[in-house]
Amino acid sequence: MKALFIGGTGTISSAITKQLSDEGCELYLLNRGNRTESLPANVNILQADINDEDTVSQLISNLNFDVVADFIAFHPEQLERDFRLFHGKTKQFIFISSASAYQKPLSDYRITESTPLSNPYWEYSRNKIACEEFLMKKYRDEGFPITIVRPSHTYDERSIPLGVHGGNGSWQVAKRMLENKPVIIHGDGTSLWTMTHNSDFAKGFIGLMGNIHAIGESVHITSDETVTWNQVYGAIADALGVKLQAVHVSSEFLAACSKQDYRGGLIGDKANSVVFDNSKLKRLVPGFAATIRFDQGIKRTVDYILAHSEHQKEDNEFDIWCDKVIHVLQKAAASMSE
């Protein structure tokens, strides 16, 4: 198989790149070349900014592909560019959308690919929906061979997956745990969520590549394991070897008092209970199974981050904000009990 990835070094795509390399795929990565040091030796690099359409057009002028996948498209105009570049040059074009595009609030917590797409809370999700609509029109009207993939919360060894964190990532929450400080969990922590290790995601994604039955289809790829947010934070604390001190805070309150986009990321996504039905994926990719349980996967992540200081980015502003939120809630509770 001959494939081109636009991106290829992110959380989702890096595991796919590695597995395809191990399988001997003729793989090309089109990116700016900023994170190529850890790539397998047999991966071909096309160094360019995908937004420089003329340069990219010249780079691929003599190339045709079985699969092209764009991991870094977020707006319809980026897909319009991709259509101009790759129409007639690939047998399959895969767009990475998002499971956050599914209906919010949900009418049924059980998610299938036929669940309506609607998210009034998060512009990111609405843009992904618009991208999907553009591609489906190109498929129906001009036969552009598209496949739409919707990941949910996918993680790797470089970042701890959380519900509430600051602009510098998730390390500060882990640091608070290590310092025996309370950490914020949105809601009451009992809503249902799905965490998917990127190596499991890669197995499903590769099974869709070059798959004639996936053309014109939308498919989500997630684990079948369902966890609560209390279990998520508990597993992280266990991996760190500390006792969890949780403070539960309303998602609406967090969204109202933070500079972070918690309205989109929480109200429009993580505050909702979701359980994914992967029946469609398993029909298209017989034998697919996500095998990394969250408590196992997060132990790998925590061990890796503790051993690599470059992934321990402190966030003093977020730390102060957490203390302030917790203090305000405790003071309010004390005043009500007087």
Side-chain angles (χ1 to χ4, degrees), residues 162-297:
L162 291 167
V164 180
H165 59 77
N168 281 355
S170 57
W171 168 249
Q172 194 65 41
V173 177
K175 188 169 184 288
R176 289 180 68 87
M177 290 184 183
L178 290 169
E179 293 173 347
N180 201 34
K181 296 176 71 173
V183 296
I184 293 172
I185 300 178
H186 62 276
D188 65 0
T190 62
S191 58
L192 304 176
W193 197 244
T194 299
M195 297 286 191
T196 307
H197 196 273
N198 68 342
S199 61
D200 280 333
F201 181 93
K203 291 185 289 187
F205 188 93
I206 291 171
L208 295 175
M209 293 177 64
N211 188 331
I212 59 172
H213 304 293
I215 302 300
E217 297 287 352
S218 300
V219 190
H220 52 239
I221 303 174
T222 77
S223 170
D224 289 318
E225 180 187 22
T226 301
V227 290
T228 68
W229 283 104
N230 287 332
Q231 290 174 322
V232 168
Y233 281 76
I236 295 167
D238 286 345
L240 289 166
V242 299
K243 181 177 176 59
L244 176 65
Q245 294 194 54
V247 176
H248 295 96
V249 184
S250 159
S251 298
E252 289 80 3
F253 183 82
L254 292 171
C257 66
S258 173
K259 295 178 182 178
Q260 299 290 321
D261 183 17
Y262 290 142
R263 175 175 166 81
L266 286 180
I267 311 302
D269 195 26
K270 297 177 183 68
N272 297 268
S273 283
V274 292
V275 176
F276 291 93
D277 181 340
N278 286 297
S279 299
K280 184 175 185 178
L281 173 64
K282 292 172 182 177
R283 288 197 304 271
L284 293 169
V285 186
F288 169 79
T291 57
I292 299 179
R293 207 172 62 213
F294 180 69
D295 61 317
Q296 299 168 336

Side-chain angles (χ1 to χ4, degrees), residues 38-93:
S38 61
L39 289 174
N42 60 341
V43 171
N44 304 287
I45 303 298
L46 300 178
Q47 188 167 341
D49 185 338
I50 184 61
N51 297 305
D52 185 352
E53 191 171 336
D54 290 339
T55 298
V56 173
S57 181
Q58 293 174 21
L59 281 175
I60 65 172
S61 60
N62 295 319
L63 295 172
N64 288 281
F65 303 96
D66 297 304
V67 179
V68 172
D70 193 336
F71 291 88
I72 55 174
F74 303 96
H75 301 278
E77 54 267 27
Q78 295 171 318
L79 276 304
E80 294 170 10
R81 172 206 63 209
D82 288 353
F83 177 76
R84 291 191 297 269
L85 285 168
F86 299 110
H87 185 42
K89 294 186 73 66
T90 184
K91 297 176 184 176
Q92 182 185 31
F93 180 89

Side-chain angles (χ1 to χ4, degrees), residues 123-136:
E123 183 180 11
Y124 164 83
S125 306
R126 295 194 297 274
N127 286 333
K128 287 290 191 178
I129 294 170
C131 289
E132 290 195 24
E133 290 172 344
F134 169 80
L135 289 175
M136 288 304 296

